[in-house]
Amino acid sequence: MDLANLNAFIAIAETGSFSGAGERLHLTQPAISKRIAGLEQQLNVRLFDRLGREVGLTEAGRALLPRAYQILNVLDDTRRALTNLTGEVTGRLTLATSHHIGLHRLPPLLREYTRRYPQVALDIQFLDSEVAYEEILHGRAELAVITLAPEPHTLVKATPVWDDPLDFVVAPEHSLISNGAVTLADIAGHPAVFPGGNTFTHHIVQRLFEAQGLTPNIAMSTNYLETIKMMVSIGLAWSVLPRTMLDEQVARIPLPGIQLSRQLGYILHTERTLSNAARAFMALLDAQIDLPGTLG
């Protein structure tokens, strides 16, 4: 089975179009169509239904997709295992990370890593933590540094690196600041801007309210913490932000007895052979665990 054809098949399945697959693989649309025609001829099945501009997997295509991932992952795994025998830290490291961690936690580590291992080609993908999680599960990224899921998948190994305290915040002139002692019920009565409903952080905050029988008044949502901070700072709503982001633009709401935090760390697939490049980056991350201000 031709691996180039399999890559084209996966690209179409993920992007939903032949043109999108062509852009991802840097090929023309006719070249993508030729690869799929070759794969369909080899397997003697139709893999996609083409209805106008819409492209969908056939039953055979849906059956092939997980096996295509498996075939490519086994091949990549074999390459890494053989390359690791040299002991050299070289090759390509596909690293997925969230925008927040990439901006606020990783720069010094990346600087040190590139200094120590200049022969490694870093492919850094900035994604929502939840999307990065899927990249690891599907084998498209070797390592991800993200907000850790409260309940990790059985095929994912998660290692906490940083404890990330979360604070309730409002604009400095917000009425919640001037009202004296504030409870979670008081906060729930005001409009909020939340991280998107699909995010791990959203679930952490939502569970806090549910535990007290409360429902937050979510007026807006976005996955970008910098955008949330801006919306809070101009007085549109309250929210929850990592303590590392707090400055004079927002005011922290003290809530006696409530301590909220999330874990930041790295994840990998338990059934994947890691490259020497990935192991070297993990060593830098592991060294952060015992530093002041991190876990423990």
Side-chain angles (χ1 to χ4, degrees):
M1 191 176 294
D2 190 289
L3 295 177
N5 293 352
L6 272 183
N7 275 313
F9 166 74
I10 289 174
I12 297 169
E14 291 179 350
T15 63
S17 71
F18 280 65
S19 59
E23 291 177 6
R24 175 185 291 189
L25 299 177
H26 307 292
L27 295 170
T28 63
Q29 188 168 332
I32 292 290
S33 298
K34 184 177 180 180
R35 290 189 179 187
I36 295 305
L39 186 59
E40 289 179 331
Q41 184 176 7
Q42 185 179 15
L43 298 175
N44 196 30
V45 293
R46 188 176 184 85
L47 298 172
F48 294 101
D49 286 324
R50 304 162 181 83
L51 304 173
R53 294 186 177 181
E54 299 293 325
V55 176
L57 287 167
T58 63
E59 184 178 358
R62 289 191 294 273
L64 175 61
L65 186 57
R67 292 168 174 81
Y69 283 129
Q70 187 177 19
I71 291 169
L72 295 181
N73 288 343
V74 167
L75 180 60
D76 287 341
D77 200 62
T78 303
R79 286 182 181 139
R80 280 189 297 271
L82 295 176
T83 302
N84 285 352
L85 295 176
T86 67
E88 296 180 354
V89 182
T90 59
R92 188 178 193 84
L93 173 59
T94 303
L95 175 70
T97 188
S98 69
H99 295 83
H100 177 72
I101 294 174
L103 288 173
H104 296 277
R105 302 281 186 172
L106 287 188
L109 291 178
L110 291 170
R111 191 178 302 114
E112 177 65 15
Y113 186 82
T114 54
R115 185 189 68 79
R116 291 190 191 183
Y117 310 108
Q119 292 182 315
V120 174
L122 274 175
D123 177 14
I124 304 175
Q125 302 175 359
F126 290 91
L127 306 166
D128 290 343
S129 291
E130 300 71 29
V131 177
Y133 203 93
E134 293 299 316
E135 294 297 290
I136 291 293
L137 279 174
H138 288 297
R140 293 187 291 266
E142 191 172 2
L143 200 63
V145 188
I146 60 170
T147 301
L148 300 181
E151 299 175 2
H153 192 283
T154 54
L155 292 176
V156 169
K157 179 184 177 183
T159 301
V161 176
W162 301 282
D163 183 58
D164 199 32
L166 301 170
D167 287 325
F168 287 85
V169 293
V170 290
E173 66 277 7
H174 197 283
S175 60
L176 282 169
I177 292 296
S178 58
N179 282 346
V182 176
T183 67
L184 199 63
D186 295 328
I187 292 175
H190 291 262
V193 53
F194 256 40
N198 63 321
T199 64
F200 299 143
T201 304
H202 178 105
H203 295 312
I204 291 170
V205 181
Q206 186 73 32
R207 287 179 181 180
L208 174 65
F209 281 89
E210 290 176 351
Q212 297 196 21
L214 299 170
T215 302
N217 177 15
I218 303 175
M220 298 163 281
S221 65
T222 174
N223 288 3
Y224 297 101
L225 294 179
E226 294 292 347
T227 302
I228 290 177
K229 182 179 177 181
M230 179 275 294
M231 297 173 83
V232 169
S233 70
I234 61 178
L236 290 180
W238 64 265
S239 191
V240 173
L241 288 174
R243 190 168 296 167
T244 53
M245 294 183 66
L246 269 58
D247 56 23
E248 70 282 354
Q249 298 180 59
V250 295
R252 176 176 175 267
I253 307 173
L255 289 172
I258 293 179
Q259 291 184 339
L260 204 58
S261 69
R262 59 183 188 174
Q263 297 297 315
L264 311 180
Y266 65 87
I267 62 171
L268 51 91
H269 200 295
T270 58
E271 297 182 353
R272 179 171 187 160
T273 299
L274 293 173
S275 65
N276 289 339
R279 293 181 187 278
F281 198 86
M282 288 164 55
L284 286 179
L285 288 165
D286 290 338
Q288 296 292 305
I289 295 175
D290 296 325
L291 295 178
T294 62
L295 295 176

